[in-house]
Amino acid sequence: MPQDMPPVGGYGPVQYKRNLPASGLRPGTWLVAMGVVMVYGFYKLGVGIREQNELAREKQWARIHLIPVLQAEEDRDLVRRHLADQAREKELLGENFKVYNSGRYVRPTYAVTPGNVTK
């Protein structure tokens, strides 16, 4: 019995690989996309930090410009307290005494104490 031989020209190629389409993007594309996202994020972070610094600087300057107004308000309150103290002293003692033996104005120091102390 004769042996079977391959056909003339040989057999056709055997398909052993699966022909599946590549899913998703190539790694290089992902790398570039993530780089763009990170650069945009860092840009927005820098803009936000600059804006926060500007707001903090504006707040500090607002406080600096309010100092004279607050100081004047405190001075008016001190004058009111001083005049009330002088009137109280004149009512109790009959005349005002110079405590520091000086003609110079000395800013008074007030200590607030409770009126009624119970034990």
Side-chain angles (χ1 to χ4, degrees):
M1 177 179 229
Q3 184 176 356
D4 286 340
M5 296 299 291
V8 178
Y11 292 110
V14 177
Q15 182 182 0
Y16 62 91
K17 282 178 71 177
R18 295 173 57 185
N19 290 327
L20 296 175
S23 63
L25 300 173
R26 294 183 299 178
T29 308
W30 280 110
L31 187 64
V32 169
M34 289 300 110
V36 168
V37 168
M38 286 177 57
V39 166
Y40 178 73
F42 279 119
Y43 168 74
K44 293 300 276 185
L45 178 70
V47 168
I49 288 173
R50 253 187 261 126
E51 184 176 351
Q52 288 293 328
N53 287 342
E54 180 65 28
L55 289 174
R57 189 172 65 85
E58 182 179 340
K59 184 178 183 181
Q60 190 66 32
W61 276 105
R63 289 180 177 176
I64 288 171
H65 290 315
L66 277 178
I67 287 174
V69 174
L70 296 174
Q71 185 66 45
E73 185 178 347
E74 184 183 357
D75 290 345
R76 281 193 303 271
D77 187 47
L78 278 175
V79 167
R80 182 189 58 78
R81 286 174 182 247
H82 180 68
L83 292 177
D85 188 38
Q86 292 291 322
R88 229 180 358 260
E89 184 178 328
K90 189 168 191 174
E91 182 183 321
L92 290 174
L93 301 175
E95 64 177 290
N96 293 334
F97 291 104
K98 291 189 176 187
V99 180
Y100 297 106
N101 299 321
S102 170
R104 199 171 66 119
Y105 175 76
V106 178
R107 187 174 182 164
T109 305
Y110 292 101
V112 178
T113 57
N116 298 329
V117 179
T118 58
K119 292 186 180 183

